[in-house]
Amino acid sequence: MINVWIDEFTPCLKDSQTGEIVQTEVIKIVRKSFLKKYNEKNGWYVNWADLLDENEVYALVVEGSVDIQGLVAVSKNEDMKATYVCWMCANPLNNKEIVE
């Protein structure tokens, strides 16, 4: 079962104030030390550094920026020819369920 709330489908990232579509890039994160600041205590739901033990972690950033807009942790299952999404979440500042 997939339990994900998606407010709308956009080709990239949409600026909620202007409605403008913002171009994005996906970056693979490989260092636990980098992910230490993305944790449950500051609104990222889990301690993302811990997820690197058994998953690949990718960040969504605005093109030309290093400001993370969202994170996703995935693991590949070669036997099933599938990818499992372990966790994904928007930057807490972008989550209208939290910030309004």
Side-chain angles (χ1 to χ4, degrees):
M1 177 169 94
I2 297 175
N3 186 12
V4 176
W5 179 74
I6 299 175
D7 58 346
E8 64 182 281
F9 288 101
T10 58
C12 297
L13 189 67
K14 184 165 107 176
D15 185 312
S16 63
Q17 294 178 341
T18 66
E20 176 185 354
I21 298 296
V22 180
Q23 295 302 312
T24 57
E25 298 176 299
V26 175
I27 299 169
K28 184 176 182 178
I29 307 295
V30 294
R31 291 190 340 253
K32 276 189 162 195
S33 60
F34 179 82
L35 287 172
K36 291 272 186 205
K37 59 187 168 189
Y38 302 94
N39 57 60
E40 197 171 6
K41 291 178 185 174
N42 59 17
W44 285 88
Y45 296 100
V46 298
N47 297 323
W48 283 83
D50 295 343
L51 293 174
L52 269 179
D53 292 336
E54 297 180 10
N55 303 281
E56 295 177 3
V57 175
Y58 295 89
L60 180 71
V61 299
V62 172
E63 195 172 68
S65 168
V66 293
D67 296 330
I68 293 180
Q69 304 301 313
L71 290 168
V72 62
V74 298
S75 63
K76 296 178 183 172
N77 184 322
E78 295 299 328
D79 294 335
M80 299 291 287
K81 304 284 188 242
T83 299
Y84 173 73
V85 177
C86 176
W87 271 96
M88 69 176 168
C89 74
N91 182 321
L93 297 175
N94 295 338
N95 188 338
K96 68 181 180 181
E97 294 293 307
I98 298 172
V99 180
E100 282 214 40

